[in-house]
């Protein structure tokens, strides 16, 4: 049986991985209630157990927001306008956002994970990070640079 995402991450430790403070255990439930649906299981497991993380590896860093930050981050006007219906879960620690596509509107499957620069928050500028959070983390653990993956399209393209 393959080790869970949480198990693979727990095996890393510092300086490659820093855990968030789990905070309010009801915060993730509140986010799911706002969304009107449950979040992907690998993401939920990590968030419930550890409150997210900051993964620092060669290639593309991945920093998950705490559950109590999700609503505020997703209410950002620029994010809502450029990537309507998407769900931001974190950043690369700099100029890009990681977001889920809950309905598979970008053609990579329901809950696929993408990376897009804050300066160009449109589907066309997004890069496919993985079919799941687990896939994106595995790419990061291999040292893959997600920024070299091709963007979905050329130029701004709303929703």
């Amino acid at each position: 049986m393959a080790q869970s995402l949480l198990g693979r991450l727990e095996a890393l430790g510092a300086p490659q991985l820093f855990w968030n403070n789990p905070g309010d255990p009801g915060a993730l439930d509140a986010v799911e209630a706002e969304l009107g649906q449950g979040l992907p299981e690998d993401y939920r497991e990590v968030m419930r157990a550890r409150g997210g993380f900051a993964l620092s590896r060669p290639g593309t860093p991945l920093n998950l927001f705490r559950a109590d930050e999700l609503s505020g981050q997703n209410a950002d006007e620029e994010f809502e306008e450029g990537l309507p219906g998407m769900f931001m879960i974190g950043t690369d620690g700099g100029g890009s956002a990681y977001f889920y596509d809950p309905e598979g509107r970008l053609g990579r499957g329901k809950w696929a994970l993408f990376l897009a620069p804050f300066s160009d928050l449109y589907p066309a500028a997004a890069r496919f990070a993985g079919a799941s959070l687990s896939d994106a983390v595995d790419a990061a653990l291999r040292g893959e640079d997600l920024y070299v993956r091709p963007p979905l399209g050329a130029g701004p393209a709303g929703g």
Side-chain angles (χ1 to χ4, degrees), residues 9 37 44-45 47 65 89 96 125 139 143 154 158:
L9 289 169
Q37 62 182 315
R44 290 178 86 243
E45 178 188 33
M47 294 300 289
F65 298 129
I89 63 166
S96 296

Side-chain angles (χ1 to χ4, degrees), residues 5 8-9 12 16 55 57-58 136-144:
L5 174 61
R8 292 193 309 275
L9 289 169
L12 287 177
Q16 299 176 70
L55 178 62
R57 300 275 298 180
V137 167
D138 289 343
L141 294 177
R142 290 189 304 269
E144 187 174 338

Side-chain angles (χ1 to χ4, degrees), residues 22-32 48 66-71:
D24 177 9
L28 197 60
D29 294 333
V31 167
E32 289 179 322
R48 287 204 184 285
R66 292 186 329 264
D68 61 355
E69 297 174 311
L70 290 168
S71 292

Side-chain angles (χ1 to χ4, degrees), residues 13 34 41 76-77 84 89 112 114 127 135:
E34 271 182 47
E41 190 54 41
D76 178 83
E77 190 175 303
I89 63 166
F114 294 86
R127 288 169 165 77
D135 288 349

Side-chain angles (χ1 to χ4, degrees), residues 107-123:
R108 299 296 175 103
K110 188 173 179 173
W111 293 108
L113 190 62
F114 294 86
L115 179 67
F118 285 115
S119 63
D120 199 4
L121 285 175
Y122 296 97

